[in-house]
Amino acid sequence: WTKPVTISNTSRTSYDPDVALDARGSAVAVWQVRISTDDLPRLEVHTASRPSGGAWGTSSRLDPDGLEPKIAMDGQGNATAVWYNVSPEYPYGLSGADKPAGKSWTTPREISSGHLSEEVDLAVGTSGTAAAVVRAYNADEEPTDLPLYAVVRD
């Protein structure tokens, strides 16, 4: 293990981190950052990466309106991230972006919409196929009546 290093902006509260490694040991991390301090905080998705044997790069904002980000990598070092999005452009849906090995993140895009969610999980296979599962949330339903939704990118 290395000595701990700060990868997030220390002037904001960061939480819900997730990290993925490729076969060579390169790492990409995502987390959410609390921007406002009122009762309904605004949350952003941030990211940082580290090449195999190198140092963590500067963190950057991936999306200004995201919750609970998850990340996974394929065997070639291509990263995929998904998160629950609450922006007016993609109301109550799942958004995502890709980071090809050695390159910058793609522009975030809507993956699915029309459902609230509380939990997201993500996996990426060695060939790049990705699958995300989302636990739906509806304030009008009983906790036992919450379905799971799945999306796949071939």
Side-chain angles (χ1 to χ4, degrees), residues 2-153:
T2 64
K3 291 183 180 181
V5 296
T6 301
I7 63 171
S8 64
N9 180 334
T10 58
S11 67
R12 304 276 189 201
T13 300
S14 298
Y15 52 101
D16 284 340
D18 197 22
V19 65
L21 294 169
D22 69 11
R24 295 179 305 276
S26 296
V28 180
V30 292
W31 62 91
Q32 63 187 34
V33 176
R34 184 183 181 110
I35 298 303
S36 59
T37 58
D38 52 10
D39 288 340
L40 295 173
R42 194 175 114 242
L43 301 167
E44 297 180 339
V45 175
H46 284 228
T47 182
S49 59
R50 175 193 174 272
S52 179
W56 285 96
T58 303
S59 67
S60 62
R61 182 176 71 186
L62 192 53
D63 193 295
D65 294 298
L67 305 167
E68 300 180 12
K70 297 293 181 189
I71 191 158
M73 294 176 81
D74 67 15
Q76 292 74 45
N78 301 304
T80 297
V82 297
W83 57 90
Y84 172 60
N85 198 305
V86 294
S87 76
E89 287 182 46
Y90 311 118
Y92 306 115
L94 192 65
S95 291
D98 298 302
K99 183 182 183 306
K103 297 185 180 176
S104 299
W105 283 97
T106 60
T107 301
R109 67 195 174 288
E110 179 183 31
I111 296 171
S112 67
S113 65
H115 54 84
L116 297 169
S117 71
E118 288 189 320
E119 299 171 6
V120 178
D121 201 7
L122 171 69
V124 175
T126 56
S127 67
T129 299
V133 176
V134 178
R135 183 172 76 102
Y137 169 76
N138 183 335
D140 296 330
E141 294 179 5
E142 294 296 319
T144 56
D145 298 331
L146 302 175
L148 296 177
Y149 295 98
V151 293
V152 176
R153 181 195 68 207

